[in-house]
Amino acid sequence: MTDFRGEDDEPPFDDVTVRMTVPASIGGSRVRVELCNLFGDGAVRIARSAIGVCGRFVEVSVDGQSSIEIPAGTSRWTDPVDLTVSHGDGIAVDLYLPESF
């Protein structure tokens, strides 16, 4: 979990793709991630998201939808995607945020 709250003088996330990389604690053939808005003051809209391992990226959805809104204080799990991961691989999570939050 990453807290993206910035200082008051930092520009907002607006029309950007945010990438987070986390190490895989176990291996497997399917991946899903939890998208959390625990620290938000309002809802955040994610227009597109992808998960990547070793340079191979796969678009992901939540409940079959590519664009989602996550209310403040809540989280959502992505649908599982077929992507082979080994213990210790860096899993990249790309989130396209079309507007400020």
Side-chain angles (χ1 to χ4, degrees):
M1 184 179 318
T2 302
D3 181 353
F4 277 109
R5 290 178 294 181
E7 301 298 323
D8 290 335
D9 61 344
E10 289 183 11
F13 289 128
D14 192 17
D15 189 32
V16 297
T17 298
V18 176
R19 175 172 285 175
M20 296 162 280
T21 303
V22 295
S25 57
I26 61 172
S29 59
R30 299 185 86 194
V31 178
R32 66 190 297 206
V33 296
E34 183 179 17
L35 304 175
C36 180
N37 188 15
L38 180 63
F39 303 110
D41 295 326
V44 61
R45 188 163 80 86
I46 300 170
R48 288 187 312 273
S49 53
I51 299 172
V53 177
C54 299
R56 179 173 177 253
F57 279 83
V58 177
E59 297 257 344
V60 295
S61 58
V62 174
D63 296 329
Q65 303 295 312
S66 60
S67 179
I68 63 164
E69 188 171 287
I70 304 173
T74 66
S75 65
R76 305 283 302 274
W77 282 94
T78 65
D79 300 330
V81 294
D82 294 329
L83 196 60
T84 300
V85 178
S86 297
H87 171 76
D89 281 349
I91 300 173
V93 180
D94 286 355
L95 305 174
Y96 173 64
L97 307 174
E99 59 216 18
S100 300
F101 63 93

